[in-house]
Amino acid sequence: MEISRDHPRYRSLVVRERMSELVRQGVVAPTGLIAHGRGEAFDYMIGERTTETAARAERTVAAWLLEARRPVITINGNAAGLCAEGLLSLARAVPARVEVNLFHRSPERVEKVVSYLENMGGKDVLGRVQASRLEGIASDRAMCCTEGIYQADVVLIPLEDGDRAGALVKAGKTVLAIDLNPLSRTALESHVTVVDELTRAVPNIERAVHELRDDPEERKRLILEFDNGENLRLSREAMCLTLRP
Ligand code: PTJ
């Protein structure tokens, strides 16, 4: 489809086209488009901007990633389609392992998403061999890589489903989410929830990684002072303010 650059929603239309093309290629799940639409709706409500509370959450995520012994960033079809280069760049900056972990899981799709990331420059992307299981999830969505999620102490989960976020918390990991829906189970279960659009959040987190790398005191302060309940309340309040006539 030809999209005119003058269209006021040009960027949104380009992203939609890319996501639907990636559905055709099998990287994004068909229902990933529904998840994307939900994200767009919440982004409207937050004013399509990074709020002050999201910026604080992004710095706290950076602090946790730098403090971690074995940080892992999980990538699903939507996260790959929206922000593969940004997430790979963040992983290199930390450095963190990258693991493909899918909700709509099949060996063929895992292969497609891993290959997609490798074509974007991803090195040592985990996901093809998942020999460990997370407790508390009955289906094969519990599968994860032993040297990835299973052994991780800190996991960044962009656009994750609630069951797995809860299972990661129960497994004793520090769970950092990026999710525009401040009411989702993922947002509520995680230790730090960035209520911001993925492609705005990821470069902000990477910038904070560089800023905080040599500042352990500031990292500790951010982690100690962060209150996710208050962060989610402020995010909901920001949405209410946008909606107020
Ligand atoms: O590739 P798969 O098989 O692993 O499937 C990926 C999806 C995203 C389809 C799957 O994990 C899923 O169904 O997720 P949910 O439960 O719909 O949750 C996705 C969450 O991400 C929702 O709360 C959306 O509001 C949010 N979201 C969607 N797009 C964005 C977003 N948050 C931040 N930035 C976005 N661009």
Side-chain angles (χ1 to χ4, degrees):
M1 185 182 128
E2 273 297 305
I3 304 167
S4 160
R5 284 190 168 273
D6 303 334
H7 194 288
R9 305 292 304 166
Y10 173 76
R11 185 175 180 278
S12 159
L13 295 177
V14 169
V15 172
R16 285 181 182 184
E17 278 301 304
R18 187 170 74 239
M19 294 298 271
S20 47
E21 170 54 31
L22 287 173
V23 170
R24 279 187 283 278
Q25 292 178 23
V27 172
V28 173
T31 56
L33 297 182
I34 298 171
H36 182 67
R38 181 154 59 182
E40 281 194 333
F42 277 107
D43 204 20
Y44 258 84
M45 285 197 266
I46 209 147
E48 297 182 312
R49 71 199 161 96
T50 300
T51 61
E52 227 174 89
T53 196
R56 196 171 316 120
E58 284 157 358
R59 284 178 70 73
T60 309
V61 163
W64 268 116
L65 289 172
L66 288 167
E67 288 293 317
R69 277 177 296 105
R70 299 182 72 103
V72 169
I73 299 175
T74 70
I75 303 191
N76 60 26
N78 279 51
L82 290 169
C83 196
E85 285 172 334
L87 287 163
L88 292 170
S89 174
L90 173 62
R92 281 191 300 270
V94 174
R97 296 301 305 261
V98 167
E99 177 167 342
V100 168
N101 207 275
L102 301 183
F103 183 76
H104 304 284
R105 194 171 183 278
S106 70
E108 295 75 28
R109 257 198 87 222
V110 171
E111 180 54 40
K112 283 192 175 164
V113 181
V114 173
S115 304
Y116 183 78
L117 293 173
E118 287 172 343
N119 288 335
M120 294 280 181
K123 300 261 184 303
D124 303 321
V125 177
L126 298 168
R128 286 192 175 100
V129 180
Q130 294 190 311
S132 293
R133 292 187 74 88
L134 284 174
E135 295 288 317
I137 301 178
S139 67
D140 64 1
R141 283 190 284 120
M143 302 306 292
C144 62
C145 291
T146 311
E147 67 276 33
I149 290 173
Y150 191 73
Q151 291 180 345
D153 54 343
V154 174
V155 188
L156 173 63
I157 51 168
L159 285 62
E160 183 56 279
D161 99 286
D163 279 355
R164 225 166 17 199
L168 289 167
V169 171
K170 283 202 189 78
K173 298 169 196 312
T174 297
V175 178
L176 317 169
I178 302 173
D179 190 332
L180 273 161
N181 179 359
L183 304 169
S184 74
R185 283 184 305 138
T186 296
L188 298 171
E189 298 258 3
S190 298
H191 296 100
V192 180
T193 306
V194 171
V195 182
D196 199 2
E197 204 281 321
L198 185 67
T199 62
R200 286 195 303 271
V202 170
N204 289 344
I205 296 170
E206 184 173 338
R207 204 169 312 115
V209 162
H210 293 300
E211 287 166 10
L212 294 170
R213 191 183 305 288
D214 298 321
D215 198 345
E217 290 307 311
E218 176 65 358
R219 296 204 296 266
K220 290 205 174 66
R221 190 190 67 77
L222 282 161
I223 288 171
L224 272 175
E225 289 181 2
F226 189 80
D227 174 345
N228 206 34
E230 180 64 0
N231 165 52
L232 293 174
R233 190 189 68 73
L234 290 169
S235 301
R236 293 197 305 272
E237 198 173 86
M239 291 181 182
C240 292
L241 284 174
T242 314
L243 291 172
R244 201 167 284 165

